Amino acid sequence: MNKGILSFLLFSFSLLAGQQKPVQIAFLSDVHFQDLYGSFSDHDFEGIVNPKNGKSTILRTMDSQLRSTRVFNENYFAFLKALDDIAAKGIKIVAMPGDFSDDGQAYNLRGLHKILDQYHRKYGIKFYLTPGNHDPVGPFRNDGGKDDFLGKEGRPLGIYSKEHIGKSVDKIITKDIAESGYLEILNELKGFGFYPQKEDLFWSTPFDHVSFKNYSYKKALQSAEYSRRMYDVAKGFSVPDLSYVAEPVKGVWMIAIDGNTYIPKNINESPQNTSNYKGAAIGYNNVLTNKKHLIQWVKKLADEAKRINKTLIAFTHYPMIDFNDGAGHDIKNVLGEKKWQLERVPQEDVAKVFAEAGLQIHFAGHMHINDTGIRKFGDHFLVNVQVPSLAAYLPGYKILTLTSPDKMEVQTEVLYNVPHFDDLFPLYEKEYHALEKEDRNIIWNREILKAKSYHEFMLFHLQELVRLRMIPDDWSEDFIKKGRMLNGKDLLLLVQGSNSSMDTDEFRDWTFDDLLFDLYKFQSADELAKKDIPAKRWQQYQILIRLFDHNESKDPFIIQLKSVFRILSLLSSGDPSDHFEIDFKKQEIKRL
């Protein structure tokens, strides 16, 4: 029999037998869950009462949200909305590629456990989690807390795991706000991928050597124990690795890669010093140097999967491919080496190593962006799908549909409307009035409380984030000062001169700040950002992109502007990232 026909028949039998539709997997990344209605095990504080619904609520301030790359509060409602959508679509498998919590505090982990368990029991959804750099923050439990919870009368409240570690005068002490380590996360969430379940057809870790043929649930349970999942990240420093592979339905292997690499700051310190570990935010670049066993493990799985006709789906918190659509050089030209989170861009060797190990598709989070990256190395082909965050613009998740042995479909589901997203607005009003009394120079824009949808709210969040953090932190003061003197018409005249045959007045409708805001929209949402930019302005951007590209001026400011428009061009014209089909045989993707 022809090998291609045999492969198709095996795939069809293993994936579609007894099912009404192809296998679908939803990917929810960077949920950053915080339990608004949780409680502490050792303190009676339950939050402040919301006058809108009478509920006691544990929330962070709006001021803190608008200076962060994520919201801390409204994402609670977005998470429930996404799960409701997934349940309504009949999807039974959900993968969560890290940052499912916001620093792994015990009360948040309990709240997350409760919600996942509810959806599993009610809808039969299986959840498969892998950790991110916020769960855990470090390999072992560490004391911590936040200065920016909302207290009475709208003022900040500190909540800490012990005395003398925060700066707030008004404070609460509870062990449940400490940053959990791997052990605590494993114990609380073991039922969501980190331990085998009886219904899994296969489950394994990088540290056991059981083949699919010799698999047993009893042996897998033993392999899942915390003490059996340790490796030396450096000589004398043994830390956990919660990677695993699971087969939730016949024929599909989901590889949950724990990409966290916690390297000691000082090798002369004690391994038990919980504060002596660097953060894991750099991602796969550190895997290549300090966590190499994962590469061999992936290759072993890929080889076995090929031999017994399993389809591999990998997911990790961290991207495997550059997510800036090739704009890195121009970003460095305008902003510098360490801006725009360039330190988080994976080296090209990351994609090469894992593609050659046998991976073809990989889902990632971490960056809170919508993006698709493709790499080809000889006969090897790898697609990295960046899953947007529910806690940032553009809020959404991905659905993967396995359509045939050689083809998969990826669709982006954007959360435009979320029930109860505005429930906390009365509490923010109190906060705003308290800030007014302090007569602070920089204060968040109260107009955000007029948002009519979650999409509008998150777009406003991005706008304030750009104003309050991104521009001050990333851009030179001189460049911004010069730029803010220009509108669209000024930019057109600057690049083309006064001999333009176009109606230059039409370009006057937008400002330099509008341009930067739109740039960040594309950084976050990729091609989907076009829906949030006026069509006429987008046409004018394209004209300016062409004009600046052909401009040969040696003026430093114009050279910088040229890079800005090249960044805009590259971010807006990358590989399909909304709804697309991957053809692994042809090694290409196409928009649907």
Side-chain angles (χ1 to χ4, degrees):
M1 182 181 288
N2 180 282
K3 287 186 177 180
I5 296 174
L6 177 60
S7 175
F8 178 81
L9 291 175
L10 287 169
F11 181 89
S12 301
F13 177 78
S14 62
L15 295 188
L16 306 179
Q19 298 180 42
Q20 299 301 311
K21 61 178 183 178
V23 172
Q24 289 188 302
I25 304 170
F27 290 84
L28 292 177
S29 189
D30 296 89
V31 172
H32 288 281
F33 179 83
Q34 291 198 119
D35 196 357
L36 295 175
Y37 307 114
S39 60
F40 302 127
S41 61
D42 56 353
H43 200 288
D44 60 5
F45 178 75
E46 294 183 344
I48 57 176
V49 176
N50 186 345
K52 182 172 182 176
N53 54 26
K55 290 184 177 180
S56 294
T57 310
I58 302 174
L59 76 160
R60 309 275 284 280
T61 64
M62 177 63 84
D63 188 63
S64 66
Q65 292 197 130
L66 296 181
R67 299 171 193 276
S68 171
T69 55
R70 61 197 181 275
V71 296
F72 303 121
N73 304 323
E74 284 67 30
N75 48 316
Y76 176 95
F77 305 112
F79 182 43
L80 296 180
K81 168 62 176 172
L83 291 177
D84 286 340
D85 283 356
I86 289 164
K89 288 177 170 64
I91 297 172
K92 300 299 182 184
I93 304 171
V94 173
M96 297 178 66
D99 283 4
F100 43 78
S101 73
D102 202 70
D103 293 351
Q105 302 95 336
Y107 84 101
N108 289 324
L109 295 178
R110 289 196 300 267
L112 179 64
H113 183 150
K114 181 179 178 182
I115 288 173
L116 297 183
D117 192 55
Q118 286 173 346
Y119 279 84
H120 174 67
R121 291 176 183 275
K122 187 173 182 179
Y123 300 105
I125 298 174
K126 300 176 185 177
F127 293 93
Y128 294 88
L129 279 57
T130 192
N133 58 305
H134 283 276
D135 35 45
V137 176
F140 309 111
R141 183 189 181 279
N142 211 359
D143 282 302
K146 304 292 182 184
D147 300 308
D148 53 21
F149 284 88
L150 192 61
K152 294 179 180 179
E153 309 304 326
R155 286 182 167 77
L157 171 71
I159 303 183
Y160 312 111
S161 60
K162 68 177 185 179
E163 292 280 3
H164 311 303
I165 62 172
K167 60 185 180 182
S168 292
V169 176
D170 295 328
K171 59 187 175 183
I172 286 168
I173 306 300
T174 169
K175 65 181 182 182
D176 288 352
I177 200 70
E179 298 165 352
S180 296
Y182 273 115
L183 178 61
E184 293 78 21
I185 289 172
L186 182 64
N187 287 340
E188 185 63 52
L189 300 175
K190 63 174 60 177
F192 307 107
F194 292 124
Y195 260 59
Q197 303 303 304
K198 286 185 178 180
E199 58 266 30
D200 290 329
L201 302 176
F202 178 59
W203 190 97
S204 181
T205 79
F207 307 105
D208 63 42
H209 304 286
V210 177
S211 66
F212 176 76
K213 183 180 178 180
N214 298 319
Y215 175 72
S216 77
Y217 172 64
K218 184 178 180 180
K219 289 181 180 178
L221 277 177
Q222 295 172 350
S223 299
E225 292 175 7
Y226 178 78
S227 61
R228 298 193 179 195
R229 302 170 81 169
M230 310 293 284
Y231 75 103
D232 284 344
V233 69
K235 187 176 180 180
F237 289 82
S238 183
V239 298
D241 173 4
L242 295 193
S243 300
Y244 63 90
V245 59
E247 185 173 359
V249 292
K250 189 173 177 62
V252 177
W253 279 8
M254 296 178 63
I255 308 179
I257 302 174
D258 176 359
N260 289 339
T261 310
Y262 294 106
I263 300 171
K265 299 173 185 176
N266 184 347
I267 60 172
N268 295 317
E269 284 275 354
S270 166
Q272 280 70 49
N273 181 353
T274 59
S275 62
N276 186 40
Y277 293 89
K278 299 176 184 177
I282 289 176
Y284 272 111
N285 291 340
N286 284 342
V287 169
L288 295 186
T289 57
N290 292 70
K291 211 171 183 179
K292 294 179 181 179
H293 67 272
L294 287 179
I295 301 166
Q296 295 305 314
W297 177 62
V298 168
K299 187 178 188 310
K300 172 192 166 189
L301 290 175
D303 289 344
E304 186 172 12
K306 185 176 181 179
R307 182 172 55 81
I308 59 178
N309 295 295
K310 304 294 182 181
T311 298
L312 288 186
I313 312 295
F315 64 103
T316 329
H317 187 54
Y318 305 101
M320 284 188 172
I321 293 175
D322 179 8
F323 42 81
N324 286 319
D325 299 313
H329 178 72
D330 288 287
I331 293 169
K332 290 177 184 177
N333 281 350
V334 181
L335 304 179
E337 293 280 342
K338 297 183 178 180
K339 303 293 185 178
W340 200 273
Q341 301 190 78
L342 287 176
E343 73 279 2
R344 296 185 174 191
V345 175
Q347 303 166 17
E348 280 299 305
D349 280 350
V350 170
K352 187 174 189 294
V353 162
F354 281 98
E356 291 177 347
L359 280 191
Q360 290 187 297
I361 186 165
H362 175 264
F363 288 80
H366 192 41
M367 301 312 301
H368 302 181
I369 64 173
N370 176 55
D371 185 64
T372 305
I374 302 171
R375 289 294 184 271
K376 297 178 183 179
F377 305 97
D379 294 332
H380 301 288
F381 175 65
L382 176 64
V383 178
N384 183 82
V385 180
Q386 284 298 130
V387 183
S389 171
L390 297 179
Y393 172 85
L394 185 68
Y397 61 96
K398 301 280 185 177
I399 297 175
L400 173 69
T401 304
L402 281 65
T403 54
S404 79
D406 299 317
K407 293 182 180 179
M408 295 182 189
E409 182 181 329
V410 178
Q411 185 162 1
T412 310
E413 294 289 335
V414 179
L415 296 187
Y416 288 103
N417 296 294
V418 170
H420 306 292
F421 85 95
D422 56 355
D423 274 9
L424 308 179
F425 284 12
L427 296 174
Y428 299 139
E429 288 281 5
K430 276 189 173 184
E431 176 193 345
Y432 190 89
H433 291 312
L435 289 172
E436 274 187 317
K437 291 178 182 178
E438 295 178 8
D439 194 27
R440 286 176 44 170
N441 292 325
I442 299 178
I443 193 170
W444 51 269
N445 192 337
R446 193 178 179 184
E447 291 294 306
I448 194 172
L449 302 183
K450 294 181 181 178
K452 301 300 182 185
S453 68
Y454 190 60
H455 169 255
E456 186 181 339
F457 178 79
M458 294 311 302
L459 193 57
F460 210 116
H461 171 264
L462 178 64
Q463 185 174 15
E464 284 292 87
L465 177 63
V466 170
R467 180 177 73 92
L468 296 173
R469 174 174 164 178
M470 298 305 188
I471 289 178
D473 289 358
D474 280 356
W475 300 79
S476 76
E477 188 175 341
D478 180 63
F479 180 72
I480 294 299
K481 185 178 180 180
K482 289 178 180 177
R484 282 178 169 160
M485 297 173 67
L486 309 174
N487 58 29
K489 177 181 177 179
D490 298 324
L491 287 166
L492 179 62
L493 293 175
L494 184 66
V495 70
Q496 187 172 262
S498 58
N499 298 321
S500 174
S501 59
M502 287 179 283
D503 182 359
T504 58
D505 285 338
E506 288 190 354
F507 283 68
R508 181 180 279 160
D509 294 339
W510 51 271
T511 67
F512 189 73
D513 277 317
D514 290 328
L515 170 62
L516 292 185
F517 182 31
D518 290 340
L519 193 68
Y520 280 99
K521 289 177 191 174
F522 277 112
Q523 181 201 24
S524 301
D526 204 81
E527 63 181 289
L528 290 170
K530 292 175 183 176
K531 297 179 181 179
D532 291 319
I533 296 172
K536 188 175 181 180
R537 189 193 304 170
W538 174 237
Q539 292 171 359
Q540 292 169 354
Y541 283 162
Q542 290 175 303
I543 292 170
L544 289 168
I545 286 169
R546 290 194 296 271
L547 290 174
F548 273 99
D549 188 52
H550 291 95
N551 189 283
E552 300 297 332
S553 172
K554 302 299 181 183
D555 181 275
F557 181 58
I558 293 180
I559 291 173
Q560 286 180 306
L561 288 172
K562 185 174 182 176
S563 286
V564 168
F565 279 100
R566 190 179 291 119
I567 295 167
L568 180 65
S569 174
L570 290 168
L571 292 179
S572 63
S573 59
D575 293 308
S577 62
D578 178 11
H579 186 194
F580 54 93
E581 180 184 74
I582 307 171
D583 189 321
F584 293 102
K585 192 172 184 179
K586 294 181 179 178
Q587 295 193 350
E588 63 183 25
I589 69 175
K590 67 176 182 180
R591 285 185 173 84
L592 296 176

